């Protein structure tokens, strides 16, 4: 996993695609939110947002 992050960072640096960082951060945030609330009582409230 760490190798993937380093390779992604080098790609963003070389190609000057820093505008992708906020998009990646939001996707990771939403993905982790869905995974973490999957088995909790908050799940029905989170799923209504989408």
């Amino acid at each position: 996993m760490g190798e993937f992050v380093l390779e992604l960072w080098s790609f963003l640096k070389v190609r000057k695609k820093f505008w992708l960082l906020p998009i990646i951060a939001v996707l990771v945030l939403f993905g982790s939110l869905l995974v973490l609330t999957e088995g909790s009582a908050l799940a029905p409230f989170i799923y209504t947002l989408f």
Side-chain angles (χ1 to χ4, degrees), residues 20-30:
L20 286 173
L21 282 176
I23 297 170
I24 294 170
V26 168
L27 287 175
V28 167
L29 180 70
F30 279 139

Side-chain angles (χ1 to χ4, degrees), residues 24-37 46 49-50:
I24 294 170
V26 168
L27 287 175
V28 167
L29 180 70
F30 279 139
S32 63
L33 180 67
L34 287 174
V35 168
L36 292 175
T37 60
I46 298 298
L49 294 176
F50 302 105

Side-chain angles (χ1 to χ4, degrees), residues 10-31:
S10 65
F11 169 78
L12 293 175
K13 269 191 347 189
V14 169
R15 305 268 191 224
K16 306 280 193 265
K17 302 273 185 191
F18 292 114
W19 56 271
L20 286 173
L21 282 176
I23 297 170
I24 294 170
V26 168
L27 287 175
V28 167
L29 180 70
F30 279 139

